[in-house]
Amino acid sequence: MQHTDFNQLFQRRKTNSLKWDDLEKRFGSDDILPLWVADMDFAAPLEVQSAIQERAAHGIFGYTIRGDSYTEAIVQWLQKRHGWQVHPEQLIHCPGVVPSLAIAIQECTQPKDSILIQSPVYHPFFDVVKQNGRVLIDSPLVFDGSKYRMDFADLERQFASGVALMILCSPHNPVGRVWTRPELEELAALCLAYDVTIVADEIWSDIVLDGHQHIPLATVIDNPALKVITCMAPSKTFNLAGLNTSFSVIAQRQLRNAFAKGLHKLEMHLGNVFGIVGTQAAYEHGHAWLNQAIAYIQDNLVFLNDYLMKRIPVVKIVQPEGTYLVWLDCRELPLAFKDQTSFFAEQAMVGLNDGQFFGPSGAGFQRINIACPQQILAEGLARIDKAVKSL
Ligand SMILES: Cc1ncc(COP(=O)(O)O)c(C=O)c1O
């Protein structure tokens, strides 16, 4: 088995990296240490690199189709990692998960329909609803001081007053929940009862920490009337976001046809040559790499817990069950919530995601990305420690 050195430091500046080359614009200085956008500072599996290099060496990059072996690699991955038997014809390919959310909204709802999200949540969920002229309904998750839960009573109230579609984040960015089977069953039953279509954004499904298991929402209730569009991608799993490659699984034929029509209307159905090659290699050969990456992320989480407990106890961790993003409860810092962004960027010189981006209930929280060599994480925490001590 190939062993990857996740401690290896890479120079990512001057590679057109959103995470490393956009700091001046986003945080006001290039000297910021970036621990923000969901992109890992790890190289993709060697098999992915080789497959892309080999294809690049061919030199011709014309319009590219997806062969049966591509689809088969996805089907096998879903079977092996999630015990989910998907038929190849249920797969629809798209450059990204966020574009897929937009297509689902355009094709499965009408202007002015209500679309529900559960904040604090990945901020493009807000934008994609509003930019497509739909009404945004928020059913905030409930935080009991250690864990976030869905508010089923509120969900039912909202569904009863007319919700056409909900966007589920599973596992959840930023709060790190990996929803349990009973939670998903309850949600699916409510969606069935009120005829709500669910777009399940399961882009984080492969990054689940020990003791937890991702369950695809589409598998929890065996009822063909349940309308689910499951959006997935290799981008978080293998750090391939720049390849712009994703897919959706849609069992219901009518829903699938509507989604496919939307994709064709935008002429977005053709694939990216490197995305196709890289994704296939990742799903065929990436199991061991992913297991090692998750183990490394778990070590970083232990490191983060230890560091905060010993040196910065005023900042508390909401323990993640999945993803490599950690939701930090900073409400006890002696600062107004609105001043946290400038504190972390200007005093600590670290780039985090301010909680308010994820909705009003995120105020007082910060999201930190721990998918980086531990040396980078340690440097970021030392900067935060120093800045907090100076408050
Ligand atoms: C929940 C969620 N959905 C979608 C995306 C991005 O998907 P894509 O780059 O395929 O549009 C992210 C990226 O962080 C995410 O966290």
Side-chain angles (χ1 to χ4, degrees):
M1 185 175 75
Q2 191 94 43
H3 198 84
T4 305
D5 178 12
F6 290 95
N7 285 314
Q8 189 178 345
L9 297 173
F10 292 92
Q11 177 53 270
R12 295 192 64 193
R13 292 185 193 267
K14 300 202 166 56
T15 63
N16 294 330
S17 156
L18 173 65
K19 188 178 189 178
W20 287 85
D21 288 327
D22 211 30
L23 296 168
E24 165 84 47
K25 202 157 96 207
R26 284 178 190 259
F27 296 99
S29 164
D30 270 338
D31 296 330
I32 295 281
L33 189 71
L35 297 165
W36 64 296
V37 63
D39 161 318
M40 314 196 224
D41 292 320
F42 305 142
L46 281 177
E47 292 88 346
V48 173
Q49 297 179 40
S50 310
I52 291 175
Q53 281 157 7
E54 201 177 301
R55 183 63 188 82
H58 184 253
I60 299 179
F61 313 116
Y63 292 118
T64 306
I65 55 168
R66 302 173 188 87
D68 289 346
S69 59
Y70 177 76
T71 314
E72 187 54 25
I74 297 176
V75 168
Q76 288 297 327
W77 180 264
L78 296 180
Q79 172 63 49
K80 284 192 196 132
R81 290 308 287 200
H82 304 298
W84 189 14
Q85 188 61 58
V86 162
H87 197 276
E89 75 176 18
Q90 298 173 343
L91 293 175
I92 306 247
H93 308 278
C94 184
V97 166
V98 176
S100 301
L101 305 180
I103 292 172
I105 288 171
Q106 287 163 10
E107 299 304 321
C108 306
T109 67
Q110 300 298 321
K112 303 257 166 41
D113 271 355
S114 294
I115 298 190
L116 184 138
I117 62 170
Q118 295 166 300
S119 75
V121 75
Y122 181 56
H123 44 100
F125 284 17
F126 294 82
D127 305 336
V128 84
V129 172
K130 291 188 198 151
Q131 282 161 2
N132 282 289
R134 271 52 170 180
V135 177
L136 183 79
I137 305 283
D138 188 11
S139 177
L141 299 173
V142 178
F143 185 47
D144 66 8
S146 69
K147 200 168 175 148
Y148 283 83
R149 292 193 168 76
M150 296 194 197
D151 185 342
F152 286 107
D154 183 60
L155 276 175
E156 179 149 23
R157 251 191 322 272
Q158 305 282 8
F159 286 0
S161 58
V163 166
L165 181 147
M166 87 168 269
I167 310 177
L168 171 72
C169 196
S170 174
H172 193 282
N173 167 14
V175 307
R177 279 300 316 278
V178 174
W179 305 113
T180 61
R181 185 177 292 280
E183 286 171 312
L184 294 171
E185 280 174 355
E186 193 165 349
L187 179 68
L190 274 180
C191 288
L192 256 181
Y194 290 93
D195 194 26
V196 174
T197 301
I198 315 180
V199 179
D201 178 338
E202 301 191 9
I203 197 169
W204 288 101
S205 55
D206 297 320
I207 304 192
V208 166
L209 307 182
D210 283 351
H212 302 279
Q213 191 196 346
H214 173 74
I215 300 165
L217 176 80
T219 65
V220 299
I221 287 190
D222 188 15
N223 185 332
L226 184 68
K227 292 189 250 170
V228 189
I229 296 174
T230 306
C231 303
M232 295 176 143
S235 46
K236 301 296 148 198
T237 315
F238 296 106
N239 207 23
L240 304 179
L243 294 182
N244 293 100
T245 300
S246 82
F247 60 92
S248 294
V249 183
I250 314 175
Q252 270 212 346
R253 188 185 305 275
Q254 223 182 339
L255 204 56
R256 191 164 66 238
N257 290 346
F259 190 93
K261 193 178 96 213
L263 198 62
H264 276 78
K265 272 202 300 209
L266 297 167
E267 294 296 344
M268 284 193 343
H269 51 287
L270 280 176
N272 169 296
V273 57
F274 297 115
I276 292 173
V277 163
T279 298
Q280 181 168 340
Y283 284 151
E284 283 177 353
H285 307 292
H287 289 274
W289 183 95
L290 177 59
N291 295 340
Q292 289 166 29
I294 292 173
Y296 192 90
I297 289 161
Q298 295 196 141
D299 273 358
N300 273 358
L301 182 59
V302 171
F303 181 81
L304 175 68
N305 266 297
D306 263 20
Y307 197 104
L308 292 184
M309 211 167 50
K310 289 191 188 126
R311 307 190 65 134
I312 327 176
V314 68
V315 174
K316 312 258 179 340
I317 291 187
V318 179
Q319 294 302 332
E321 301 168 344
T323 83
Y324 50 70
L325 307 167
V326 184
W327 193 232
L328 299 177
D329 185 348
C330 301
R331 290 175 298 173
E332 285 176 17
L333 282 177
L335 277 174
F337 295 166
K338 68 174 173 41
D339 296 333
Q340 280 189 11
T341 303
S342 56
F343 168 73
F344 283 103
E346 290 161 27
Q347 311 297 315
M349 302 296 286
V350 293
L352 306 180
N353 286 92
D354 191 282
Q356 292 179 83
F357 266 126
F358 304 90
S361 56
F365 292 79
Q366 297 284 323
R367 192 191 76 176
I368 187 168
N369 175 347
I370 62 167
C372 56
Q374 202 165 92
Q375 194 181 326
I376 295 183
L377 181 60
E379 165 68 20
L381 291 172
R383 290 183 184 201
I384 295 172
D385 187 24
K386 193 162 159 225
V388 169
K389 299 250 153 61
S390 72
L391 273 172

